[in-house]
């Protein structure tokens, strides 16, 4: 992937100082590259599933604290 970034995206040189700055730059470009790949991804067959979740249990108030 880093060779791809260097060749196609012009990252032969990094315009920051130090190894930490270069590391941050490469992490950000890797994130951008992966997001770009994710946005281009189209599944072959969409799966449509609906799941019915059960209703949460109703709380019964404690009569010692809440007179009804």
């Amino acid at each position: 992937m880093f060779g791809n970034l260097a060749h196609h995206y012009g990252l032969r040189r990094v315009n920051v100082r130090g190894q930490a700055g270069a590391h941050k730059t490469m992490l950000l470009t890797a994130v951008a590259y992966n997001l770009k790949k994710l946005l281009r991804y189209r599944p072959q067959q969409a799966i449509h599933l609906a799941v019915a979740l059960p209703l949460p249990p109703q709380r019964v108030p404690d009569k010692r604290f809440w007179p009804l």
Side-chain angles (χ1 to χ4, degrees), residues 20-33:
H23 184 71
K24 288 178 194 175
T25 303
M26 291 308 284
L27 283 177
L28 284 172
T29 53
V31 167
Y33 180 77

Side-chain angles (χ1 to χ4, degrees), residues 22-65:
H23 184 71
K24 288 178 194 175
T25 303
M26 291 308 284
L27 283 177
L28 284 172
T29 53
V31 167
Y33 180 77
N34 287 330
L35 283 175
K36 187 175 177 182
K37 280 180 68 173
L38 182 66
L39 289 174
R40 281 190 279 147
Y41 173 73
R42 301 271 188 226
Q44 296 297 326
Q45 182 179 6
I47 300 173
H48 299 286
L49 295 176
V51 177
L53 298 175
L55 292 174
Q58 298 294 325
R59 287 185 50 204
V60 178
D62 191 1
K63 290 187 179 186
R64 291 180 294 170
F65 299 111

Side-chain angles (χ1 to χ4, degrees), residues 10-18 21-26 29:
L11 286 176
R12 292 181 193 273
R13 288 190 170 180
V14 181
N15 296 329
V16 294
R17 288 188 183 209
H23 184 71
K24 288 178 194 175
T25 303
M26 291 308 284
T29 53

